[in-house]
Every structure is written in C-alpha cells, then in structure tokens.
Amino acid sequence: QSPCSGPPTSPERADGCLERERWDCFFGYEGIGNVGTCQFDFRGEHHNPRKAGRPGWSIEAGTRSRLSWSEPFPPDEVDAEGGLVTSYAQWCGVTQPQTELLFDQEASGKMLEVDASTVATMPLVSADQTAAFSLAACYCPSFHEETGSPCTTTDGSGIETCCERHSEFIQHIGTMYFWTIRICDLDTYQGVDGCARPYRRVLPQQKFVLRVQCPPGGGCRADNNSRIKYVTYTPDSDIPNWRTDHPCKTTDVEPAAIVWPSSNDSLSLGGGDRVDYKLWAAQPVRISSSPKTPGNQFDVCFSNSVGPADFFKIGHVQVSDAFPFASGYTNTTITPTVQFAGVPGTFAFYGGISEVDSGPYDSIPFSGAAQAFFLPYDRELPQGSFPDPSATVESTGGFDYRMPTDFQEQMDGACRRHSASAAAIFPLPAA
C-alpha cells in the first residue's frame, strides 16, 4: 500500500497509481561514490527516523514476501530536439532481470526478502554501467503461480514453493529510476553522445558543465522546470532519497563555495526541455575551493519542478585535491620546470585529463585566466609581513616542529594575506 493507493475503500485510490510510484536512485561514473541507498523500506512509523520506513507505505506480508525487478526499460525514442516520440516500459511477471549487466551481484541475488521488519537494499550498480536506466519494481505477495493461490509447502519438507520464479512477482509497485551525471568541459557537452567520457573531478575556481542523464520511461519531464542544487556532502547524504530528512530536501541555500555567474542563478536555472538529458551550460558554475580543503565533495540534487521538497540526490561532484605539474613547457624550445635559483624555468599545470584510470589527476580543463605566485616558506618575507622581521611562514605556523591537521587551510590563509609583491619568483621582463 502506498500514499497514492490509500486503503481499499479510499476514494483517491485509482487503477495504475501504484505502478506510477517513483523510487529514485543514483550511481556514479565508474562506480565512484556508489552506496547502498536504493532501499525498499515498509517498516512504518518509528520515533527514530532512521528506523522508520518510507512515509505512507505499508505491507501485509504473507508466508513469502519478496522483491525483484524487470528487465531494463528500452531507451526512449526522441526527436532531434530531445522531445519524446515513444517510451517503452517493462512489466512485472513477464521478463527476468539482467542482473549481471547492471549490478555487482550474481544471479542468485535477483530476489530480495522484504517485509514489515526487513529492508530490501538493491545491489550496487556495476562500474561498467554508463547509461541511466529504469526498472519496474516487482513484488511477490506470497503467490504460487501453479495453483494461483497463496504459498504452500511441499509434503512435510517445510520448504516454500512460491516466490521462486519471476513470473510469480506479479505486483508492480513502482519504477526504479537510476540516475547518473556527467561532469563535462565547456566544449564537449552537446549532442546525444556529448561528454561520452566525463571527468571524475572538477578543478577549483574553474567552470564546468553539469549534464544529467535522464532514465527512460518518465525520469525527466519535457519542460524547462527542472532544477539542480549543490549541497555539501555529509554522512546524512548516504540515506535513501525518499527520506524527508535527506539533505537534498532540507537544505534551502547552496554553500558559499558554489559560485554561479549571478547570485540569482542559484536554484533558478532550468536544464532544458529534452527528456534524454538536462544541461546547465549557458551559465556554468564553478566551485570556489582549494585542493585538499575539507568539505570538497558536493551532492548534486535534482528536481523536476521548483518545489524544495521534490529534490533528490543523483550524484556528487568532487573537487580535485591535486594539480598535475608539467615537467616542461614547449614553445619554440623546451624549457624545464623551475628548479634552480637564478635560472629561467617554466611553471605549468595540466588540465583536461580524462584518460588516467582512477588517477588523482583526472579533472576538467582550465576554463579561464588564472594568476599564481610563489611565496617563500622557510625564508624571510618582505619587511612588515610579520611582527618578527626574521619570521617565516613555516616558523609562524609552527610547522617546523609539528604538522597540524589544518595545515592546508593555514597555507590557504597565508596565500590570501600576501600579494604577488611577496613572491620569490618573477616573470622575465619583456624583451
């Protein structure tokens, strides 16, 4: 029983409403950030929210009570503008799930126990899965296909003989939408096959395009009312999307680190009319954060409408904690990276790396101008930098005898307190 169906005598009860219920889940690119939060929980109300089931749902389990799912829905057919032409659903009790292609679980895990005290958790999505997908959620209400009646036992064995075949999972209790996102650069996000190899991370201060891959069969609506919201990751992020206390639902304002071109852009920009993907590209966002700074992971929350309670998590964005240095720079000749005092050298970052498998340097390209200067660490700074004229950044922070846990934040502060006039390395004068 769900909120849409109500009790059997409810005037709101309508045929097909249970099939239209949503179970929104997500998975990450190459399995990054996958957690077991796609859960079916019918435990009812509880004074401890973490022990309560999905609001409005209940179950009257028989002798056997099991959950399974259908084959994946076929991709939606769309026109050149992304408008829906045809959508194909799958139904319960007809097909067997292709578990091995979608999930990190053997075939024996296609049937999950679920009742008023047992939570059914879907297996993790395979790291090889790249496309968003949809499944029909199928329930076996203690049904025996051969007799057409509730479960029985074999002759004295005590072994139940029902809910063992997918044709016995006859109750369609909603659609599981498995969402995923793509982190794209400013050049390759367009088209059905755009951003085919997304990035795993973003660079601090650099703009990127977020592309939401819509699950087929009604995942996204054919309008521009969709919204995204970035929320700082916390342990509470790893709870089912239907929970009313999920941060995607309870957080009203994006963190200060999320910087849109205009402050009015936050929570006000739609992702377009397409039903196969949504894009936030015309006003790309950037994350104003430093590498290795705590809190550099952000949940991506999505909504098909502007209602704050309608947001749910579809992925996360990680800020890169490492900049890849080039060993040299080639213009007319190869000039090596700065190495020796008084000897010309180059200083170059790499960006736009997406070929390093699970490496720390995979991140979007640089998208705009940037400035850098080298601040002396264990040598005296220009007069007036510290009260003690012989002080250094190292000695002032006490880093010469201990390494604090907030070292990165203290160094970020040192860079903000000093300007390029304190730099130890300068560009060569123009010829």
Side-chain angles (χ1 to χ4, degrees):
Q1 184 172 305
S2 78
C4 85
S5 62
T9 57
S10 172
E12 290 80 16
R13 184 168 181 164
D15 290 339
C17 77
L18 197 60
E19 290 90 335
R20 293 191 296 271
E21 293 281 11
R22 299 178 65 105
W23 301 86
D24 291 294
C25 308
F26 73 93
F27 63 97
Y29 176 55
E30 295 186 339
I32 299 173
N34 285 359
V35 290
T37 60
C38 192
Q39 295 182 338
F40 289 77
D41 190 340
F42 309 123
R43 291 178 295 176
E45 298 181 359
H46 195 279
H47 66 276
N48 182 348
R50 293 188 178 276
K51 296 183 179 180
R54 182 170 177 176
W57 286 75
S58 62
I59 188 171
E60 293 183 12
T63 306
R64 297 298 301 272
S65 180
R66 279 181 153 186
L67 176 81
S68 189
W69 51 91
S70 69
E71 285 187 350
F73 288 21
D76 291 336
E77 290 187 17
V78 298
D79 57 28
E81 287 72 40
L84 182 64
V85 176
T86 306
S87 181
Y88 305 92
Q90 295 282 15
W91 302 99
C92 295
V94 179
T95 61
Q96 294 192 13
Q98 298 174 352
T99 302
E100 294 81 2
L101 301 180
L102 297 175
F103 300 110
D104 291 332
Q105 185 164 321
E106 299 298 329
S108 60
K110 294 178 181 179
M111 302 174 184
L112 308 177
E113 303 295 332
V114 64
D115 53 38
S117 60
T118 304
V119 179
T121 300
M122 291 293 292
L124 296 181
V125 176
S126 169
D128 296 327
Q129 180 66 24
T130 59
F133 61 95
S134 303
L135 308 169
C138 306
Y139 177 68
C140 178
S142 195
F143 176 69
H144 192 285
E145 181 182 26
E146 294 181 357
T147 65
S149 60
C151 285
T152 59
T153 58
T154 58
D155 297 338
S157 67
I159 300 175
E160 302 296 343
T161 59
C162 66
C163 296
E164 296 288 346
R165 292 175 286 188
H166 288 282
S167 54
E168 295 175 330
F169 288 74
I170 58 175
Q171 191 167 8
H172 192 158
I173 61 171
T175 300
M176 289 183 271
Y177 294 106
F178 282 84
W179 299 77
T180 192
I181 63 172
R182 294 181 181 176
I183 299 173
C184 313
D185 57 42
L186 302 185
D187 300 317
T188 63
Y189 61 84
Q190 293 180 323
V192 175
D193 298 322
C195 199
R197 186 175 179 87
Y199 299 95
R200 300 179 184 88
R201 305 170 186 82
V202 301
L203 286 173
Q205 312 291 347
Q206 303 302 308
K207 297 177 181 178
F208 65 94
V209 171
L210 185 80
R211 175 168 165 151
V212 175
Q213 299 299 115
C214 302
C220 290
R221 297 176 184 170
D223 56 44
N224 195 35
N225 292 327
S226 58
R227 297 291 186 269
I228 57 169
K229 174 171 57 178
Y230 294 92
V231 175
T232 302
Y233 172 82
T234 69
D236 285 335
S237 301
D238 295 334
I239 58 177
N241 268 322
W242 45 259
R243 287 270 297 270
T244 57
D245 58 341
H246 196 289
C248 282
K249 293 178 170 57
T250 60
T251 305
D252 297 327
V253 180
E254 291 182 309
I258 303 300
V259 181
W260 294 90
S262 167
S263 58
N264 294 328
D265 294 336
S266 177
L267 302 178
S268 66
L269 300 176
D273 298 331
R274 300 186 67 101
V275 297
D276 51 351
Y277 64 86
K278 301 290 187 180
L279 278 174
W280 279 263
Q283 291 84 21
V285 70
R286 62 184 174 89
I287 299 180
S288 177
S289 183
S290 302
K292 299 186 182 300
T293 298
N296 264 354
Q297 183 171 319
F298 300 87
D299 292 330
V300 179
C301 308
F302 176 85
S303 174
N304 270 309
S305 68
V306 297
D310 296 331
F311 279 96
F312 52 89
K313 182 176 177 178
I314 58 171
H316 74 274
V317 172
Q318 174 72 49
V319 178
S320 177
D321 60 3
F323 281 109
F325 284 91
S327 60
Y329 177 77
T330 302
N331 188 2
T332 56
T333 60
I334 297 177
T335 304
T337 298
V338 172
Q339 299 180 61
F340 307 107
V343 178
T346 60
F347 178 73
F349 288 134
Y350 274 128
I353 302 173
S354 62
E355 292 81 17
V356 183
D357 292 340
S358 301
Y361 305 120
D362 176 293
S363 58
I364 60 171
F366 291 92
S367 60
Q371 293 181 334
F373 67 90
F374 290 78
L375 186 69
Y377 177 71
D378 58 355
R379 299 177 62 184
E380 294 82 359
L381 290 172
Q383 187 174 4
S385 297
F386 296 116
D388 181 356
S390 64
T392 66
V393 171
E394 181 187 43
S395 62
T396 301
F399 309 142
D400 48 351
Y401 65 89
R402 63 177 179 87
M403 185 57 64
T405 56
D406 62 344
F407 174 76
Q408 180 68 45
E409 293 95 309
Q410 291 196 45
M411 292 305 301
D412 291 344
C415 287
R416 287 191 290 266
R417 287 193 301 271
H418 299 91
S419 65
S421 62
I425 297 179
F426 301 93
L428 292 174

